[in-house]
Coordinates of all heavy atoms in Angstrom, one line a residue:
M1 N -40.0 -47.7 77.7 CA -40.5 -46.7 76.8 C -40.6 -47.3 75.4 O -39.7 -47.9 74.9 CB -39.6 -45.5 76.8 CG -40.2 -44.3 76.4 SD -39.0 -43.0 76.8 CE -39.8 -41.7 76.1
Q2 N -41.7 -47.0 74.7 CA -41.9 -47.6 73.4 C -41.3 -46.6 72.4 O -41.4 -45.4 72.5 CB -43.4 -47.8 73.1 CG -44.0 -48.8 73.9 CD -45.5 -49.0 73.6 OE1 -46.0 -48.2 72.8 NE2 -46.1 -50.0 74.1
S3 N -40.7 -47.1 71.4 CA -40.1 -46.2 70.4 C -41.2 -46.1 69.3 O -41.9 -47.0 68.9 CB -38.8 -46.8 69.8 OG -39.1 -48.0 69.1
Q4 N -41.4 -44.8 68.8 CA -42.3 -44.6 67.7 C -41.5 -44.3 66.5 O -40.5 -43.7 66.5 CB -43.1 -43.4 68.1 CG -44.1 -43.6 69.2 CD -44.9 -42.3 69.5 OE1 -44.6 -41.3 68.9 NE2 -45.8 -42.4 70.4
K5 N -42.1 -44.8 65.4 CA -41.5 -44.6 64.1 C -41.9 -43.2 63.5 O -43.0 -43.0 63.3 CB -41.9 -45.7 63.1 CG -41.2 -45.6 61.8 CD -41.7 -46.7 60.9 CE -41.0 -46.5 59.5 NZ -41.5 -47.5 58.6
L6 N -41.0 -42.4 63.4 CA -41.2 -41.0 62.9 C -40.6 -40.9 61.5 O -39.3 -40.8 61.4 CB -40.7 -39.9 63.8 CG -41.3 -39.9 65.2 CD1 -40.7 -38.9 66.1 CD2 -42.8 -39.6 65.1
D7 N -41.4 -40.9 60.5 CA -40.8 -40.7 59.1 C -40.7 -39.2 58.9 O -41.6 -38.4 59.3 CB -41.8 -41.3 58.1 CG -41.8 -42.8 58.2 OD1 -40.8 -43.4 58.7 OD2 -42.9 -43.4 57.8
S8 N -39.7 -38.8 58.2 CA -39.6 -37.4 57.8 C -40.6 -37.2 56.6 O -40.8 -38.0 55.8 CB -38.2 -37.1 57.3 OG -37.9 -37.8 56.2
P9 N -41.3 -36.0 56.7 CA -42.3 -35.8 55.7 C -41.6 -35.5 54.3 O -40.6 -34.9 54.2 CB -43.0 -34.5 56.2 CG -42.0 -33.9 57.1 CD -41.2 -35.0 57.7
A10 N -42.3 -35.9 53.3 CA -41.8 -35.7 51.9 C -42.5 -34.4 51.5 O -43.7 -34.2 51.5 CB -42.2 -36.8 51.0
I11 N -41.7 -33.4 51.1 CA -42.3 -32.1 50.6 C -42.5 -32.2 49.2 O -41.7 -32.5 48.3 CB -41.3 -31.0 51.0 CG1 -41.0 -30.9 52.5 CG2 -41.8 -29.7 50.4 CD1 -40.0 -29.9 52.9
V12 N -43.8 -31.9 48.8 CA -44.3 -32.0 47.4 C -44.7 -30.5 47.1 O -45.6 -30.0 47.8 CB -45.4 -33.0 47.3 CG1 -45.9 -32.9 45.8 CG2 -45.0 -34.3 47.7
K13 N -44.1 -30.0 46.1 CA -44.5 -28.6 45.7 C -45.4 -28.7 44.5 O -45.1 -29.2 43.5 CB -43.3 -27.8 45.4 CG -42.5 -27.5 46.6 CD -41.4 -26.5 46.3 CE -40.6 -26.2 47.6 NZ -39.6 -25.2 47.4
S14 N -46.6 -28.1 44.7 CA -47.6 -28.0 43.6 C -47.3 -26.7 42.8 O -46.8 -25.8 43.4 CB -49.0 -28.1 44.1 OG -49.2 -29.1 45.1
A15 N -47.8 -26.7 41.6 CA -47.7 -25.4 40.8 C -48.6 -24.4 41.4 O -49.8 -24.5 41.5 CB -48.1 -25.7 39.4
G16 N -48.0 -23.3 42.0 CA -48.7 -22.2 42.5 C -49.2 -22.4 43.9 O -49.7 -21.5 44.5
D17 N -49.1 -23.6 44.4 CA -49.6 -23.8 45.8 C -48.4 -23.9 46.7 O -47.3 -24.0 46.3 CB -50.4 -25.1 45.9 CG -51.7 -25.1 45.1 OD1 -52.2 -24.0 44.9 OD2 -52.1 -26.2 44.7
R18 N -48.7 -23.7 48.0 CA -47.6 -23.8 49.0 C -47.3 -25.3 49.2 O -48.0 -26.2 48.8 CB -47.9 -23.1 50.2 CG -49.2 -23.5 50.9 CD -49.5 -22.5 52.0 NE -50.9 -22.8 52.3 CZ -51.3 -23.1 53.6 NH1 -50.4 -23.1 54.5 NH2 -52.5 -23.4 53.8
A19 N -46.1 -25.5 49.8 CA -45.7 -26.9 50.0 C -46.6 -27.6 50.9 O -47.1 -27.1 51.9 CB -44.3 -26.8 50.7
E20 N -46.9 -28.9 50.6 CA -47.7 -29.7 51.4 C -46.9 -30.9 51.9 O -46.0 -31.4 51.3 CB -48.8 -30.3 50.5 CG -49.8 -29.2 49.9 CD -50.8 -29.9 49.0 OE1 -50.9 -31.1 48.9 OE2 -51.5 -29.1 48.3
C21 N -47.2 -31.3 53.1 CA -46.5 -32.4 53.7 C -47.3 -33.6 53.6 O -48.4 -33.7 54.0 CB -46.2 -32.1 55.2 SG -45.1 -30.7 55.5
S22 N -46.7 -34.6 53.0 CA -47.4 -35.9 52.9 C -46.6 -36.9 53.7 O -45.6 -37.4 53.3 CB -47.5 -36.3 51.4 OG -46.3 -36.5 50.9
S23 N -47.1 -37.2 54.9 CA -46.4 -38.2 55.7 C -47.5 -38.9 56.5 O -48.6 -38.4 56.7 CB -45.4 -37.6 56.6 OG -46.0 -36.8 57.5
T24 N -47.1 -40.0 57.1 CA -48.1 -40.7 58.0 C -48.0 -40.0 59.3 O -46.9 -39.6 59.8 CB -47.7 -42.2 58.1 OG1 -46.4 -42.2 58.6 CG2 -47.8 -42.9 56.8
K25 N -49.2 -39.8 59.9 CA -49.2 -39.1 61.2 C -48.9 -40.1 62.3 O -49.4 -41.3 62.3 CB -50.6 -38.5 61.4 CG -51.0 -37.5 60.4 CD -50.2 -36.2 60.7 CE -50.6 -35.2 59.7 NZ -49.7 -34.1 59.6
A26 N -48.1 -39.7 63.3 CA -47.9 -40.6 64.4 C -49.1 -40.6 65.3 O -50.0 -39.7 65.2 CB -46.7 -40.1 65.2
T27 N -49.2 -41.6 66.1 CA -50.4 -41.7 67.0 C -50.5 -40.5 67.9 O -49.5 -40.1 68.5 CB -50.3 -43.0 67.9 OG1 -49.1 -43.6 67.7 CG2 -51.4 -43.9 67.6
G28 N -51.7 -39.9 68.0 CA -51.9 -38.7 68.8 C -51.6 -37.4 68.2 O -51.9 -36.4 68.7
E29 N -51.0 -37.4 67.0 CA -50.7 -36.2 66.3 C -51.9 -35.7 65.6 O -52.7 -36.5 65.0 CB -49.5 -36.5 65.3 CG -49.0 -35.2 64.7 CD -47.8 -35.5 63.8 OE1 -47.2 -36.5 64.0 OE2 -47.5 -34.6 63.0
I30 N -52.1 -34.4 65.6 CA -53.3 -33.8 65.1 C -52.9 -33.0 63.9 O -51.9 -32.3 63.9 CB -54.0 -32.9 66.1 CG1 -54.4 -33.7 67.3 CG2 -55.2 -32.2 65.5 CD1 -54.9 -32.9 68.5
D31 N -53.7 -33.0 62.8 CA -53.5 -32.2 61.6 C -53.8 -30.8 62.0 O -55.0 -30.5 62.4 CB -54.3 -32.7 60.5 CG -54.0 -32.0 59.2 OD1 -52.9 -31.4 59.1 OD2 -54.8 -32.0 58.3
M32 N -52.9 -29.9 61.9 CA -53.1 -28.5 62.4 C -53.7 -27.6 61.3 O -54.2 -26.5 61.6 CB -51.7 -27.9 62.8 CG -51.1 -28.6 64.0 SD -52.1 -28.5 65.4 CE -51.9 -26.7 65.8
E33 N -53.6 -28.0 60.0 CA -54.1 -27.1 59.0 C -55.6 -26.7 59.1 O -55.9 -25.5 59.0 CB -53.8 -27.7 57.6 CG -54.2 -26.9 56.4 CD -53.3 -25.6 56.3 OE1 -52.2 -25.7 56.8 OE2 -53.8 -24.6 55.8
P34 N -56.5 -27.6 59.4 CA -57.9 -27.2 59.5 C -58.1 -26.3 60.8 O -58.9 -25.3 60.7 CB -58.7 -28.5 59.7 CG -57.8 -29.6 59.3 CD -56.4 -29.1 59.4
R35 N -57.3 -26.5 61.8 CA -57.5 -25.7 63.0 C -56.9 -24.3 62.7 O -57.5 -23.3 63.2 CB -56.7 -26.4 64.2 CG -57.3 -27.7 64.5 CD -56.6 -28.4 65.6 NE -56.9 -27.7 66.9 CZ -56.2 -27.9 68.0 NH1 -55.2 -28.8 68.0 NH2 -56.6 -27.3 69.1
V36 N -55.8 -24.2 62.0 CA -55.3 -22.9 61.7 C -56.2 -22.1 60.8 O -56.5 -20.9 61.0 CB -53.9 -23.0 61.0 CG1 -53.4 -21.7 60.5 CG2 -52.9 -23.6 62.0
T37 N -56.8 -22.8 59.8 CA -57.8 -22.2 58.9 C -59.0 -21.7 59.7 O -59.5 -20.5 59.5 CB -58.2 -23.2 57.9 OG1 -57.1 -23.7 57.2 CG2 -59.2 -22.5 56.9
E38 N -59.4 -22.5 60.7 CA -60.6 -22.0 61.5 C -60.2 -20.8 62.3 O -61.0 -19.9 62.4 CB -61.0 -23.2 62.4 CG -62.2 -22.9 63.2 CD -62.6 -24.1 64.1 OE1 -62.0 -25.2 63.9 OE2 -63.6 -23.9 64.9
L39 N -59.0 -20.8 62.9 CA -58.6 -19.7 63.7 C -58.5 -18.4 62.8 O -58.8 -17.3 63.3 CB -57.3 -20.0 64.4 CG -57.4 -20.9 65.6 CD1 -56.0 -21.3 66.1 CD2 -58.2 -20.4 66.7
E40 N -58.0 -18.6 61.6 CA -57.9 -17.4 60.7 C -59.2 -16.9 60.4 O -59.4 -15.7 60.3 CB -57.2 -17.8 59.4 CG -55.7 -18.1 59.6 CD -55.0 -18.6 58.3 OE1 -55.7 -19.1 57.4 OE2 -53.8 -18.6 58.3
A41 N -60.2 -17.8 60.2 CA -61.6 -17.3 59.9 C -62.1 -16.6 61.1 O -62.8 -15.5 61.0 CB -62.5 -18.5 59.6
H42 N -61.9 -17.1 62.3 CA -62.4 -16.4 63.5 C -61.7 -15.1 63.7 O -62.4 -14.1 64.1 CB -62.1 -17.3 64.8 CG -63.0 -18.4 64.9 ND1 -64.4 -18.3 65.0 CD2 -62.7 -19.8 65.0 CE1 -64.9 -19.5 65.2 NE2 -63.9 -20.4 65.1
L43 N -60.4 -15.0 63.4 CA -59.7 -13.7 63.5 C -60.3 -12.7 62.5 O -60.4 -11.5 62.8 CB -58.2 -13.9 63.2 CG -57.3 -12.7 63.4 CD1 -57.4 -12.2 64.8 CD2 -55.9 -13.1 63.1
K44 N -60.6 -13.2 61.3 CA -61.2 -12.3 60.3 C -62.5 -11.7 60.8 O -62.8 -10.5 60.7 CB -61.5 -13.0 59.0 CG -62.1 -12.2 57.9 CD -62.2 -12.9 56.6 CE -63.2 -14.0 56.7 NZ -63.6 -14.6 55.5
Y45 N -63.4 -12.5 61.4 CA -64.7 -12.1 62.0 C -64.5 -11.1 63.2 O -65.2 -10.2 63.3 CB -65.5 -13.3 62.4 CG -66.0 -14.1 61.2 CD1 -65.9 -15.4 61.2 CD2 -66.5 -13.4 60.1 CE1 -66.3 -16.2 60.1 CE2 -66.9 -14.2 59.0 CZ -66.8 -15.6 59.0 OH -67.2 -16.3 57.9
I46 N -63.5 -11.4 64.0 CA -63.2 -10.6 65.2 C -62.7 -9.2 64.7 O -63.2 -8.2 65.2 CB -62.1 -11.2 66.1 CG1 -62.7 -12.4 66.8 CG2 -61.6 -10.2 67.1 CD1 -61.7 -13.2 67.6
R47 N -61.9 -9.1 63.7 CA -61.5 -7.8 63.1 C -62.6 -7.1 62.5 O -62.7 -5.9 62.7 CB -60.4 -8.1 62.1 CG -59.1 -8.4 62.7 CD -58.0 -8.5 61.7 NE -56.7 -8.8 62.4 CZ -55.6 -9.1 61.7 NH1 -55.5 -9.0 60.4 NH2 -54.5 -9.4 62.4
R48 N -63.5 -7.8 61.8 CA -64.7 -7.1 61.2 C -65.6 -6.5 62.3 O -66.0 -5.4 62.2 CB -65.5 -8.1 60.4 CG -66.7 -7.5 59.7 CD -67.7 -8.4 59.2 NE -68.3 -9.1 60.4 CZ -68.9 -10.3 60.3 NH1 -69.0 -10.9 59.2 NH2 -69.4 -10.8 61.4
D49 N -65.8 -7.3 63.4 CA -66.6 -6.8 64.5 C -65.9 -5.7 65.2 O -66.6 -4.7 65.6 CB -66.8 -8.0 65.5 CG -67.7 -9.1 65.0 OD1 -68.4 -8.8 63.9 OD2 -67.7 -10.2 65.5
M50 N -64.6 -5.7 65.3 CA -63.9 -4.6 66.0 C -64.0 -3.3 65.1 O -64.2 -2.2 65.7 CB -62.4 -4.9 66.2 CG -62.2 -5.9 67.3 SD -62.8 -5.3 68.9 CE -61.7 -3.9 69.2
D51 N -64.0 -3.4 63.8 CA -64.2 -2.3 62.9 C -65.6 -1.7 63.1 O -65.8 -0.5 63.2 CB -64.0 -2.7 61.5 CG -62.5 -2.9 61.1 OD1 -61.6 -2.4 61.9 OD2 -62.3 -3.6 60.1
E52 N -66.6 -2.6 63.3 CA -68.0 -2.1 63.5 C -68.0 -1.4 64.9 O -68.7 -0.3 65.0 CB -68.9 -3.3 63.5 CG -69.2 -3.8 62.1 CD -70.1 -5.0 62.2 OE1 -70.8 -5.3 63.2 OE2 -70.2 -5.7 61.2
V53 N -67.4 -1.9 65.9 CA -67.4 -1.3 67.2 C -66.7 0.1 67.1 O -67.2 1.0 67.7 CB -66.7 -2.2 68.2 CG1 -66.4 -1.5 69.5 CG2 -67.5 -3.5 68.5
R54 N -65.6 0.2 66.4 CA -64.9 1.5 66.3 C -65.8 2.5 65.6 O -65.9 3.7 66.1 CB -63.7 1.3 65.5 CG -62.5 0.7 66.2 CD -61.2 0.7 65.4 NE -60.2 0.0 66.1 CZ -59.7 -1.2 65.6 NH1 -60.1 -1.7 64.5 NH2 -58.8 -1.8 66.3
G55 N -66.6 2.1 64.6 CA -67.5 3.0 63.9 C -68.6 3.4 64.9 O -69.0 4.6 64.9
D56 N -69.1 2.5 65.7 CA -70.2 2.8 66.7 C -69.7 3.8 67.7 O -70.4 4.7 68.1 CB -70.7 1.5 67.3 CG -71.5 0.6 66.4 OD1 -71.8 1.1 65.3 OD2 -71.6 -0.6 66.7
V57 N -68.4 3.6 68.2 CA -67.9 4.5 69.2 C -67.7 5.9 68.6 O -68.0 6.9 69.3 CB -66.5 3.9 69.7 CG1 -65.8 5.0 70.5 CG2 -66.7 2.7 70.5
K58 N -67.3 6.0 67.4 CA -67.1 7.3 66.7 C -68.5 8.0 66.7 O -68.6 9.2 66.9 CB -66.5 7.2 65.4 CG -65.0 7.0 65.4 CD -64.5 6.9 64.0 CE -63.0 6.6 64.0 NZ -62.5 6.5 62.6
S59 N -69.5 7.2 66.3 CA -70.9 7.8 66.2 C -71.4 8.2 67.5 O -72.0 9.3 67.6 CB -71.8 6.7 65.6 OG -73.1 7.1 65.6
I60 N -71.1 7.5 68.6 CA -71.5 7.9 69.9 C -70.8 9.1 70.3 O -71.4 10.0 70.9 CB -71.3 6.7 70.9 CG1 -72.3 5.6 70.6 CG2 -71.4 7.2 72.3 CD1 -72.0 4.3 71.3
K61 N -69.5 9.2 70.0 CA -68.8 10.4 70.4 C -69.3 11.7 69.7 O -69.5 12.7 70.4 CB -67.3 10.3 70.0 CG -66.5 9.4 70.9 CD -65.0 9.4 70.5 CE -64.2 8.5 71.3 NZ -62.8 8.5 70.9
H62 N -69.7 11.5 68.4 CA -70.2 12.7 67.7 C -71.6 13.1 68.3 O -71.9 14.2 68.5 CB -70.4 12.4 66.2 CG -69.1 12.3 65.5 ND1 -68.2 13.4 65.4 CD2 -68.5 11.3 64.9 CE1 -67.1 13.0 64.8 NE2 -67.2 11.7 64.4
R63 N -72.4 12.1 68.6 CA -73.7 12.3 69.2 C -73.6 13.0 70.5 O -74.4 14.0 70.8 CB -74.5 11.1 69.3 CG -75.0 10.5 68.0 CD -75.8 9.2 68.2 NE -76.2 8.7 66.9 CZ -76.8 7.5 66.8 NH1 -77.2 6.8 67.9 NH2 -77.1 7.0 65.6
L64 N -72.7 12.6 71.3 CA -72.5 13.2 72.7 C -72.0 14.7 72.5 O -72.4 15.5 73.3 CB -71.5 12.4 73.5 CG -72.0 11.1 74.1 CD1 -70.9 10.4 74.8 CD2 -73.1 11.4 75.1
A65 N -71.1 14.9 71.5 CA -70.6 16.2 71.3 C -71.7 17.2 70.9 O -71.9 18.3 71.4 CB -69.5 16.2 70.3
Y66 N -72.6 16.7 69.9 CA -73.7 17.5 69.5 C -74.7 17.7 70.6 O -75.3 18.8 70.8 CB -74.4 16.9 68.3 CG -73.6 16.9 67.0 CD1 -73.5 15.8 66.2 CD2 -73.0 18.1 66.6 CE1 -72.7 15.9 65.0 CE2 -72.2 18.2 65.5 CZ -72.1 17.0 64.7 OH -71.4 17.1 63.5
S67 N -74.9 16.7 71.4 CA -75.9 16.8 72.5 C -75.4 17.9 73.6 O -76.1 18.7 74.1 CB -76.1 15.5 73.2 OG -76.7 14.6 72.3
A68 N -74.1 17.8 73.8 CA -73.5 18.7 74.8 C -73.6 20.2 74.3 O -73.9 21.1 75.1 CB -72.0 18.4 75.1
C69 N -73.3 20.4 73.0 CA -73.4 21.7 72.4 C -74.9 22.2 72.5 O -75.2 23.3 72.8 CB -72.9 21.7 71.0 SG -71.1 21.6 70.9
G70 N -75.8 21.3 72.1 CA -77.2 21.7 72.1 C -77.7 22.0 73.5 O -78.4 23.0 73.7
T71 N -77.3 21.2 74.5 CA -77.6 21.5 75.9 C -77.1 22.8 76.3 O -77.8 23.6 77.0 CB -77.1 20.4 76.8 OG1 -77.7 19.1 76.3 CG2 -77.5 20.6 78.2
A72 N -75.9 23.1 76.0 CA -75.2 24.4 76.4 C -76.0 25.6 75.8 O -76.3 26.6 76.4 CB -73.8 24.5 76.0
V73 N -76.4 25.5 74.5 CA -77.2 26.5 73.9 C -78.5 26.7 74.5 O -78.9 27.8 74.8 CB -77.3 26.2 72.4 CG1 -78.4 27.2 71.7 CG2 -76.0 26.4 71.6
I74 N -79.2 25.6 74.8 CA -80.5 25.7 75.4 C -80.4 26.3 76.8 O -81.2 27.2 77.2 CB -81.2 24.3 75.5 CG1 -81.6 23.9 74.1 CG2 -82.4 24.3 76.4 CD1 -82.1 22.5 73.9
L75 N -79.4 25.9 77.6 CA -79.2 26.4 79.0 C -78.9 27.9 78.9 O -79.3 28.7 79.7 CB -78.2 25.7 79.7 CG -78.6 24.3 80.2 CD1 -77.4 23.6 80.8 CD2 -79.7 24.3 81.2
G76 N -78.1 28.3 77.9 CA -77.8 29.7 77.7 C -79.0 30.5 77.4 O -79.2 31.6 78.0
L77 N -79.8 30.0 76.5 CA -81.1 30.7 76.2 C -82.0 30.8 77.4 O -82.6 31.9 77.7 CB -81.8 30.1 75.0 CG -81.2 30.2 73.6 CD1 -81.9 29.4 72.6 CD2 -81.2 31.7 73.2
L78 N -82.1 29.7 78.1 CA -83.0 29.8 79.3 C -82.4 30.7 80.4 O -83.2 31.5 81.0 CB -83.1 28.4 79.9 CG -84.0 27.4 79.1 CD1 -83.9 26.0 79.8 CD2 -85.4 27.9 79.0
G79 N -81.1 30.8 80.5 CA -80.5 31.7 81.5 C -80.8 33.2 81.0 O -81.0 34.0 81.9
W80 N -80.6 33.4 79.7 CA -80.8 34.8 79.2 C -82.3 35.2 79.4 O -82.6 36.3 79.9 CB -80.5 34.8 77.8 CG -80.7 36.1 77.1 CD1 -80.0 37.3 77.3 CD2 -81.7 36.4 76.1 NE1 -80.6 38.3 76.5 CE2 -81.6 37.7 75.8 CE3 -82.6 35.6 75.5 CZ2 -82.4 38.3 74.8 CZ3 -83.4 36.2 74.5 CH2 -83.3 37.5 74.2
I81 N -83.2 34.3 79.1 CA -84.6 34.6 79.3 C -84.9 34.8 80.8 O -85.6 35.8 81.2 CB -85.5 33.5 78.7 CG1 -85.4 33.4 77.2 CG2 -87.0 33.6 79.2 CD1 -86.1 32.2 76.6
A82 N -84.4 33.9 81.7 CA -84.7 34.1 83.1 C -84.1 35.4 83.6 O -84.7 36.1 84.4 CB -84.1 32.9 83.9
N83 N -82.9 35.8 83.1 CA -82.3 37.0 83.6 C -83.1 38.2 83.1 O -83.3 39.2 83.9 CB -80.9 37.1 83.0 CG -80.1 38.3 83.6 OD1 -80.4 38.7 84.7 ND2 -79.1 38.8 82.8
S84 N -83.6 38.2 81.9 CA -84.4 39.4 81.4 C -85.7 39.4 82.1 O -86.2 40.5 82.5 CB -84.6 39.3 79.9 OG -85.4 38.2 79.6
R85 N -86.4 38.4 82.4 CA -87.6 38.3 83.2 C -87.5 38.7 84.6 O -88.3 39.3 85.2 CB -88.3 37.0 83.1 CG -88.7 36.6 81.7 CD -89.8 37.5 81.2 NE -90.1 37.1 79.8 CZ -90.8 37.9 79.0 NH1 -91.2 39.0 79.3 NH2 -91.0 37.5 77.7
F86 N -86.3 38.3 85.2 CA -86.0 38.6 86.6 C -86.0 40.2 86.8 O -86.5 40.7 87.8 CB -84.7 38.0 87.0 CG -84.4 38.2 88.5 CD1 -85.1 37.5 89.5 CD2 -83.4 39.1 88.8 CE1 -84.8 37.7 90.8 CE2 -83.1 39.3 90.1 CZ -83.8 38.6 91.1
E87 N -85.4 40.9 85.9 CA -85.3 42.3 86.0 C -86.7 42.9 85.9 O -87.0 43.9 86.6 CB -84.4 42.9 84.9 CG -82.9 42.5 85.1 CD -82.1 43.0 83.9 OE1 -82.6 43.5 82.9 OE2 -80.8 42.8 84.0
Q88 N -87.6 42.4 85.0 CA -88.9 42.9 84.9 C -89.7 42.6 86.2 O -90.5 43.5 86.6 CB -89.7 42.2 83.7 CG -89.2 42.7 82.4 CD -89.9 41.9 81.2 OE1 -90.7 41.1 81.5 NE2 -89.6 42.3 80.0
V89 N -89.5 41.5 86.8 CA -90.2 41.2 88.1 C -89.8 42.1 89.2 O -90.6 42.7 89.9 CB -90.0 39.7 88.5 CG1 -90.5 39.4 89.9 CG2 -90.7 38.8 87.5
I90 N -88.5 42.4 89.3 CA -87.9 43.3 90.3 C -88.5 44.7 90.0 O -88.9 45.4 91.0 CB -86.4 43.3 90.3 CG1 -85.9 42.0 90.7 CG2 -85.8 44.4 91.2 CD1 -86.2 41.6 92.1
S91 N -88.5 45.1 88.8 CA -89.0 46.5 88.5 C -90.5 46.6 88.8 O -91.0 47.7 89.2 CB -88.8 46.9 87.0 OG -89.5 46.0 86.2
L92 N -91.3 45.5 88.6 CA -92.7 45.6 89.0 C -92.9 45.7 90.5 O -93.8 46.4 91.0 CB -93.4 44.3 88.5 CG -93.7 44.2 87.0 CD1 -94.3 42.9 86.6 CD2 -94.7 45.3 86.6
F93 N -92.1 45.0 91.3 CA -92.2 45.1 92.7 C -91.8 46.5 93.3 O -92.4 47.0 94.2 CB -91.3 44.0 93.4 CG -91.9 42.6 93.4 CD1 -91.1 41.5 93.0 CD2 -93.2 42.4 93.7 CE1 -91.7 40.2 93.0 CE2 -93.8 41.1 93.7 CZ -93.0 40.0 93.4
L94 N -90.8 47.0 92.6 CA -90.3 48.3 93.1 C -91.3 49.5 92.7 O -91.3 50.5 93.3 CB -88.9 48.6 92.6 CG -87.8 47.7 93.1 CD1 -86.5 48.0 92.4 CD2 -87.7 47.9 94.6
A95 N -92.1 49.2 91.6 CA -93.0 50.3 91.1 C -94.1 50.5 92.1 O -94.7 51.6 92.2 CB -93.5 49.9 89.8
H96 N -94.6 49.4 92.9 CA -95.7 49.6 93.7 C -95.3 50.0 95.1 O -94.7 50.0 95.9 CB -96.5 48.3 93.8 CG -97.2 48.0 92.5 ND1 -96.7 48.1 91.3 CD2 -98.5 47.6 92.3 CE1 -97.6 47.8 90.4 NE2 -98.7 47.5 91.0

């Protein structure tokens, strides 16, 4: 087994910035900072898209509620008209 030289990172604190690690990377080691930044950006876009989806779902719920109420009113009016005309048709048949 080959031994790898692992130096401990030197922590350098910048004014107002977070601590940065300055060390030599061992073979096969990947710098995680760009990947984390990319994931944070993706997460931000996913959250924005989810907020849009929530707004769309609320809009659809309101439209369905208004449509259901409108349909109930129209069916009620049609039933009332059919009921009143039905009595007139029965009275015409009975008159002759």
